[in-house]
Amino acid sequence: MKVGIIGASGYSGELLVRLLARHPQAKLTRVTSRQLAGQAVSEVIPALRGQLPGLAFTNSDPSEVAASEEELYFLALPHGVSAEYAKALTAAGKKVIDLSADFRLGSTSLYKEYYGEEHPAPELLAAAPYVQPELERMLGREAWKTAALIACPGCYPTSILLPLAPLLKSSVVEKDGIVINSASGVSGAGKKATAYYSYCERSESASAYGAPKHRHLSEIEEQLALYADADTVVQFIPHLSPMRYGIETTIVAKAKSGIEALYEVWNKAYPQETTPFVRILPSGTFPETRYVVGTNRADMSAVFDKRTGNFVITSTIDNLWKGASGQAVQIMNLASGFEETAGLL
Amino acid sequence: MKVGIIGASGYSGELLVRLLARHPQAKLTRVTSRQLAGQAVSEVIPALRGQLPGLAFTNSDPSEVAASEEELYFLALPHGVSAEYAKALTAAGKKVIDLSADFRLGSTSLYKEYYGEEHPAPELLAAAPYVQPELERMLGREAWKTAALIACPGCYPTSILLPLAPLLKSSVVEKDGIVINSASGVSGAGKKATAYYSYCERSESASAYGAPKHRHLSEIEEQLALYADADTVVQFIPHLSPMRYGIETTIVAKAKSGIEALYEVWNKAYPQETTPFVRILPSGTFPETRYVVGTNRADMSAVFDKRTGNFVITSTIDNLWKGASGQAVQIMNLASGFEETAGLL
Amino acid sequence: MKVGIIGASGYSGELLVRLLARHPQAKLTRVTSRQLAGQAVSEVIPALRGQLPGLAFTNSDPSEVAASEEELYFLALPHGVSAEYAKALTAAGKKVIDLSADFRLGSTSLYKEYYGEEHPAPELLAAAPYVQPELERMLGREAWKTAALIACPGCYPTSILLPLAPLLKSSVVEKDGIVINSASGVSGAGKKATAYYSYCERSESASAYGAPKHRHLSEIEEQLALYADADTVVQFIPHLSPMRYGIETTIVAKAKSGIEALYEVWNKAYPQETTPFVRILPSGTFPETRYVVGTNRADMSAVFDKRTGNFVITSTIDNLWKGASGQAVQIMNLASGFEETAGLL
Amino acid sequence: MKVGIIGASGYSGELLVRLLARHPQAKLTRVTSRQLAGQAVSEVIPALRGQLPGLAFTNSDPSEVAASEEELYFLALPHGVSAEYAKALTAAGKKVIDLSADFRLGSTSLYKEYYGEEHPAPELLAAAPYVQPELERMLGREAWKTAALIACPGCYPTSILLPLAPLLKSSVVEKDGIVINSASGVSGAGKKATAYYSYCERSESASAYGAPKHRHLSEIEEQLALYADADTVVQFIPHLSPMRYGIETTIVAKAKSGIEALYEVWNKAYPQETTPFVRILPSGTFPETRYVVGTNRADMSAVFDKRTGNFVITSTIDNLWKGASGQAVQIMNLASGFEETAGLL
């Protein structure tokens, strides 16, 4: 299967190229970037020196890529820009997997509230499922696999929804009063040319940012509400940590049952034999980002605090793999009938 | 004034040596360590090469140091070991500033619950004040300055009590339902010779640990209860961050008044002109560990989330300075009538 | 093909497990470690959680592994220990790829001089080729592929021999007066439980060590002499850099011809179309470790300084991939008739 | 003594502010920066929150600062810009300590060759001594102390000249064939807003750059020639290391005498009792950047390699302290009759 990537100049675009370069079934035949057009992919991404011979960045005119022979496209573009390509590509019968925020929200008013602009393509929203693959499997849903346009979850939402959604759905935790802290590696901010993101400024520095209303909050709450079957308001506080990759998420939620029930729900939602990318760790141990960085896995565990009546739930992912490009490839694998782990181990 | 340090082989002992080496009034004349006895201080602490000529580590027999000519001693020892020295030194009329956990708790049963042993010197507890200097000043208390034995707060507690205690005292926040996440640099674990704390294992790694019942929790709750004037139970989750120094603390507490009232309380507790080591940052900005590392300052700010009704409060300190040795020197300065900032800028 | 690893508790053993876990032709069926026997591999190496189901560490008695059904074994053991296994396994007709230093030197007296002990198995030396795969190809040699026991080059030597050996062979540089500086990531020291290698001690720290007579020097000079066809003495200075992985090597050598001749030699030694794991970069650019870390590639470039008459040659590798386990898998691939890059992209 | 800083928006300017803020004799009363004019110094440099009350950045018009009441000015400006201020300030009778490259070279043609422009103020050159304080003391020179304009050495040159100059002067090493490798922390590049210097790009990355003709080479060779009393050409290769601060320099030079003679020369050049900022370490040990970062000290050691006949000499400094701002304050101290270490311990 020939696949293409639109907008591969950022970190998630680069990882997509690397993952597809070694994918056993998908063949990466087109990579676009306005700013890099004409340059060899293996020069722009020096980690790939000697690979992908002949593949160069091309211009990314929507009509041109719509007329291309690739069957499937990944969009690794900023929000607001993705929609234009999604329209052209789906109209041309291509399958589109979008890593931007453009089709993550069901509500256009929420989009406007959090992104400051009118939604760029509301007509596509209804037919663009938001796909957290493991949760779709938990719900027994398969229809998304044939959708023309699929929205990939954001990085923070992935680290939060995977542990929390099943617990809300089965009422193991209270939906009210949830407090979430997530620490992200610096690559989460994208490839930035500012003093703030320079090596000397980010080393030895931890801090909160963007609280209390980070953009991902819209996506987190909209999704949680689906599982809680009720409006859900959470306290979400993102942090920057002095590391390149990884997200560590800590969720405090009021327990409505014991820790055994929580683990039972998780084990049923994510049967360990058939869920390659979610690992459930024993209560009392804590996932560490170093063990998931460079993998497509989410690790999670929970502990009950009898003093407060809360569960303390922690999860870790690689923000660029499971939080973006790795999950996008996983989605392609499932939608295309490939092995779920193809190219991802 | 001649001062000594008992047990200077760890990180807080080393910083004490460095701070006292450049203190304008205190003169460091004795440094003990069983394992380092006989070695020159400036060889063991290479950052001090060429300084402290003639000063070598000596043995640390309690009776010997009790008979020494130093007026004041800092104890930078593990809990359980400190008490023995505190007894001998105070009996000999020395002033003692203890950086261990031995005299932080008022309750010996709490000590046993959290530290797993009987309290080593309950008879000294009553006369050993727990001194968070800025909070003592807020309360208008001076009596601690003449105490023979002073307990220094722990690092996590310092980062939590400074922002939270005044708010509980003035009922600006609810005492129930408080959630605290603190990310610490690796030096918080001490100078460790284990693979877990090796460079390759700690780089690129963030994780929770020790939840839900870290030892510092006992101290945090006992202190908060004094300010809330009622038993206080909090959810405290410590994390390890891939940095050497610094603590970033995030407190979520239900608001009982507006953000202006919160800032008013803080500004009254810590008048900025006369409180050199607490900086109150504008709401909407967030303190960063990089700006306090290598200083004795706590930076703090808060923001109100109208969606949840919570305050999100963040603070940062250097775990070894304001969280340990810097604060110990500040306590010495205040107790000895020196300038509060002497040797600390 | 069933393969096993003896001694997989260190960093190179761990990487071997990870590389073999995803190898398309080799199947990892046995992993031994005295200290880890009985534990699941995916528990000990948490990056592999959910993979290698059923595979646990076993005891590593030489006679037992000699009687096993695996065809090929990797030895990831300390020097001095490897030989015992090499004897038992080769006697049993197994193919052995040894990552230790035991069979790298042709001279047993050199071994004694640098390693402080008698060589543990001199009788095996003659039949144990030292295999730097790209150099073997340059020399048109194939016989090593059928050897029962193959010695893998060390990490520093790999980063030095790849650029320098062809230049000495074709007399593009003087063999006298060569100065080599190599900076290594901390993992080069192995998985260490000492304060010296702790996160707080290694961060922000660069230093030389082990000069002027690091153990790898014996291997470097013995090999260089083969290509220079004369005794060769070099100045080799290893350094530790605050990073986990990677080696950056800088070689200063007196030029005997122009920079074009140097590049011609390199291009002939490593035809870029058929040499996947050596990249020759343009003169005036410099390889960076970040681009080779996580790959099996060596990048190299050179510049001529007309002021001094020297070539300044720089190369980078990942010390654990091309410098150890990746190269070992590459050697297996070539010896077994697999694609050279199998499992390594 | 009132002092000012021109151009304090970069890293060396910031450190100057911090050092002067705690200096016992000099009082920092003016800090200029075109881009920061009007902002409080303690807001721009958050490490100083609560300090330097009332001090704000002002505009930096040369005539205006010439008319100011400050006695001494530090110039922390880019090369080419410094000269303009140096002229105006010296004409107004101020003492000027320049951290830029403008007055480091005696030769204007060398300036043009390495900096690509005509020298901006050749008429000031003759009266502007280049001051490496320890070397001036070794030479018994005092005249520089009364110069109106003093040029501070660059960071790489400081780490090279301190160990090497006395050895060349006393012919302990050959002047020909010297090879120097220096690894610098990222702050050496200044406060940069480019993707290249971003956290994600610099972590885990070591590489050479700027070889073979880095700008500092002109200064290094011009100075070495003075001590060797003959033209001196060296091979100098700078590297970037994944750390914020520090320079580690390795010099390989042909020995003309034994290691004892080398140490004798060093000990005579830098009597350890009276040279606070140079530490001579035993042969066989190696200085580490972590021990000098945050200090004004250079550590150095050397070892003789009988196999090659070379000395391997290593030194470490903090590039911003001893390599820039710390040394500038040291120069002010000596020129003003203050204690050499004032404000620097």
Side-chain angles (χ1 to χ4, degrees), chain B:
Chain B
M1 185 173 70
K2 290 188 175 179
V3 305
I5 302 171
I6 314 285
S9 62
Y11 287 133
S12 56
E14 175 179 325
L15 180 58
L16 266 178
V17 173
R18 297 180 67 172
L19 292 174
L20 293 168
R22 65 183 212 201
H23 196 282
Q25 279 120 336
K27 187 169 167 57
L28 181 64
T29 46
R30 185 177 296 258
V31 184
T32 82
S33 162
R34 264 173 207 158
Q35 64 188 98
L36 300 170
Q39 299 184 49
V41 171
S42 65
E43 301 243 321
V44 173
I45 306 176
L48 290 176
R49 279 177 183 142
Q51 295 186 57
L52 299 173
L55 191 64
F57 284 92
T58 60
N59 247 311
S60 57
D61 181 60
S63 62
E64 203 177 319
V65 294
S68 70
E69 60 178 9
E70 283 72 19
E71 282 178 54
L72 182 150
Y73 271 95
F74 294 94
L75 307 184
L77 294 161
H79 71 268
V81 182
S82 253
E84 183 190 7
Y85 289 91
K87 281 190 234 179
L89 290 165
T90 53
K94 315 278 187 202
K95 179 130 193 158
V96 176
I97 297 177
D98 182 22
L99 284 84
S100 86
D102 274 355
F103 301 99
R104 290 180 189 159
L105 296 177
S107 154
T108 52
S109 62
L110 210 54
Y111 186 92
K112 186 165 188 195
E113 180 185 348
Y114 278 83
Y115 291 89
E117 297 157 30
E118 294 297 334
H119 192 280
E123 71 278 16
L124 290 181
L125 270 185
Y130 176 96
V131 175
Q132 181 72 56
E134 287 82 3
L135 290 174
E136 294 300 305
R137 187 154 48 207
M138 175 184 88
L139 297 169
R141 295 200 292 221
E142 303 266 352
W144 66 268
K145 294 182 181 174
T146 56
L149 171 59
I150 294 172
C152 295
C155 52
Y156 287 128
T158 293
S159 77
I160 293 164
L161 295 175
L162 282 171
L164 193 49
L167 304 182
L168 281 171
K169 184 160 180 57
S170 48
S171 296
V172 163
V173 299
E174 289 276 9
K175 81 169 186 58
D176 293 324
I178 292 173
V179 175
I180 305 170
N181 281 269
S182 292
S184 172
V186 179
S187 64
K191 197 178 263 186
K192 288 282 174 59
T194 63
Y196 183 81
Y197 289 108
S198 68
Y199 184 83
C200 295
E201 306 294 316
R202 287 299 100 212
S203 276
E204 290 278 316
S205 194
S207 71
Y209 75 97
K213 222 176 153 184
H214 185 277
R215 279 173 170 173
H216 280 182
L217 180 59
S218 56
E219 179 185 343
I220 293 164
E221 289 184 344
E222 194 181 76
Q223 288 297 316
L224 289 178
L226 297 175
Y227 293 89
D229 205 15
D231 276 2
T232 302
V233 174
V234 300
Q235 191 72 60
F236 170 59
I237 306 153
H239 304 255
L240 216 48
S241 237
M243 54 196 190
R244 285 180 299 171
Y245 310 118
I247 287 178
E248 181 219 354
T249 282
T250 304
I251 303 165
V252 173
K254 196 59 77 183
K256 291 176 74 176
S257 64
I259 187 73
E260 297 77 14
L262 179 151
Y263 270 85
E264 210 173 292
V265 168
W266 274 358
N267 279 307
K268 208 167 145 198
Y270 310 124
Q272 294 291 279
E273 305 70 33
T274 54
T275 310
F277 294 133
V278 172
R279 283 302 102 181
I280 301 168
L281 309 188
S283 183
T285 67
F286 299 92
E288 306 200 20
T289 56
R290 62 175 166 148
Y291 292 136
V292 296
V293 165
T295 84
N296 198 47
R297 225 172 57 227
D299 284 355
M300 56 179 70
S301 73
V303 66
F304 176 64
D305 187 352
K306 64 180 180 193
R307 301 168 61 263
T308 60
N310 292 329
F311 288 128
V312 176
I313 301 158
T314 50
S315 74
T316 52
I317 61 167
D318 182 313
N319 57 309
L320 294 179
W321 280 69
K322 186 64 177 165
S325 310
Q327 187 149 269
V329 171
Q330 181 189 1
I331 286 168
M332 175 192 74
N333 286 345
L334 291 168
S336 307
F338 304 150
E339 189 78 24
E340 184 172 3
T341 58
L344 292 173
L345 295 182

Side-chain angles (χ1 to χ4, degrees), chain C residues 152-238:
Chain C
C152 295
C155 51
Y156 288 128
T158 293
S159 77
I160 292 164
L161 295 176
L162 281 172
L164 193 50
L167 304 182
L168 281 172
K169 184 162 181 56
S170 47
S171 296
V172 163
V173 300
E174 289 275 8
K175 80 170 188 54
D176 292 324
I178 293 174
V179 175
I180 305 170
N181 280 269
S182 292
S184 172
V186 180
S187 64
K191 197 177 261 184
K192 288 282 174 58
T194 63
Y196 183 81
Y197 289 107
S198 69
Y199 185 83
C200 295
E201 306 294 318
R202 287 299 99 211
S203 276
E204 291 279 315
S205 195
S207 72
Y209 75 96
K213 220 174 154 186
H214 186 279
R215 279 175 171 173
H216 280 183
L217 180 58
S218 56
E219 178 186 343
I220 293 165
E221 289 184 343
E222 193 180 77
Q223 288 297 316
L224 289 179
L226 297 176
Y227 293 90
D229 205 15
D231 274 3
T232 302
V233 174
V234 300
Q235 190 71 62
F236 170 59
I237 307 153

Side-chain angles (χ1 to χ4, degrees), chain C residues 113-114 178-179 181 183 195-196 200-213 217 221 232-237 239-246 248 250-252 284 286-291 293 303-312 314 316, chain D residues 113-114 178-179 181 183 195-196 200-213 217 221 232-237 239-246 248 250-252 284 286-291 293 303-312 314 316:
Chain C
E113 179 185 349
Y114 277 83
I178 293 174
V179 175
N181 280 269
Y196 183 81
C200 295
E201 306 294 318
R202 287 299 99 211
S203 276
E204 291 279 315
S205 195
S207 72
Y209 75 96
K213 220 174 154 186
L217 180 58
E221 289 184 343
T232 302
V233 174
V234 300
Q235 190 71 62
F236 170 59
I237 307 153
H239 303 255
L240 216 48
S241 237
M243 53 195 191
R244 288 181 296 170
Y245 310 118
E248 180 219 354
T250 304
I251 302 164
V252 173
F286 299 92
E288 307 200 20
T289 57
R290 61 176 167 148
Y291 293 136
V293 164
V303 66
F304 176 64
D305 186 352
K306 64 180 179 194
R307 300 168 62 263
T308 59
N310 291 329
F311 288 128
V312 176
T314 49
T316 52
Chain D
E113 180 185 348
Y114 278 83
I178 292 174
V179 174
N181 281 269
Y196 184 80
C200 295
E201 306 294 318
R202 288 299 100 211
S203 277
E204 290 279 317
S205 194
S207 72
Y209 75 97
K213 220 174 153 185
L217 180 59
E221 289 184 344
T232 302
V233 174
V234 301
Q235 190 72 60
F236 170 58
I237 306 154
H239 304 254
L240 216 49
S241 236
M243 53 195 191
R244 286 181 298 171
Y245 310 119
E248 179 219 356
T250 303
I251 302 166
V252 173
F286 299 92
E288 306 200 19
T289 58
R290 61 176 167 148
Y291 292 136
V293 165
V303 68
F304 175 65
D305 186 352
K306 65 180 179 193
R307 301 169 61 265
T308 60
N310 292 328
F311 288 128
V312 175
T314 50
T316 51

Side-chain angles (χ1 to χ4, degrees), chain D residues 108-338:
Chain D
T108 53
S109 62
L110 210 54
Y111 186 91
K112 188 166 185 195
E113 180 185 348
Y114 278 83
Y115 291 90
E117 296 157 30
E118 293 298 333
H119 191 280
E123 70 278 17
L124 290 181
L125 272 184
Y130 177 96
V131 175
Q132 182 71 56
E134 286 82 3
L135 289 175
E136 294 299 306
R137 187 156 45 207
M138 175 183 88
L139 297 170
R141 295 200 292 221
E142 302 266 352
W144 67 268
K145 294 183 180 174
T146 57
L149 171 60
I150 293 172
C152 294
C155 52
Y156 287 128
T158 293
S159 77
I160 293 164
L161 295 175
L162 282 171
L164 193 50
L167 304 182
L168 281 172
K169 185 163 180 52
S170 48
S171 296
V172 164
V173 299
E174 289 275 9
K175 79 170 189 56
D176 293 323
I178 292 174
V179 174
I180 305 170
N181 281 269
S182 292
S184 172
V186 180
S187 65
K191 198 179 260 185
K192 288 281 174 60
T194 63
Y196 184 80
Y197 289 107
S198 68
Y199 184 83
C200 295
E201 306 294 318
R202 288 299 100 211
S203 277
E204 290 279 317
S205 194
S207 72
Y209 75 97
K213 220 174 153 185
H214 186 277
R215 279 174 170 172
H216 280 182
L217 180 59
S218 55
E219 179 186 344
I220 293 163
E221 289 184 344
E222 196 182 76
Q223 288 298 316
L224 289 180
L226 297 175
Y227 293 89
D229 204 16
D231 275 2
T232 302
V233 174
V234 301
Q235 190 72 60
F236 170 58
I237 306 154
H239 304 254
L240 216 49
S241 236
M243 53 195 191
R244 286 181 298 171
Y245 310 119
I247 287 179
E248 179 219 356
T249 283
T250 303
I251 302 166
V252 173
K254 194 60 73 184
K256 292 176 73 176
S257 64
I259 188 75
E260 298 76 16
L262 180 150
Y263 270 85
E264 209 172 295
V265 167
W266 274 357
N267 280 308
K268 205 167 148 199
Y270 311 123
Q272 294 291 280
E273 306 69 35
T274 54
T275 310
F277 295 133
V278 171
R279 283 302 104 184
I280 300 167
L281 310 187
S283 184
T285 68
F286 299 92
E288 306 200 19
T289 58
R290 61 176 167 148
Y291 292 136
V292 295
V293 165
T295 83
N296 199 48
R297 223 173 56 229
D299 285 356
M300 58 180 69
S301 73
V303 68
F304 175 65
D305 186 352
K306 65 180 179 193
R307 301 169 61 265
T308 60
N310 292 328
F311 288 128
V312 175
I313 301 159
T314 50
S315 74
T316 51
I317 60 166
D318 182 315
N319 58 310
L320 295 178
W321 281 68
K322 186 63 177 166
S325 310
Q327 185 149 270
V329 170
Q330 181 188 1
I331 286 169
M332 175 192 74
N333 287 344
L334 291 168
S336 306
F338 304 150

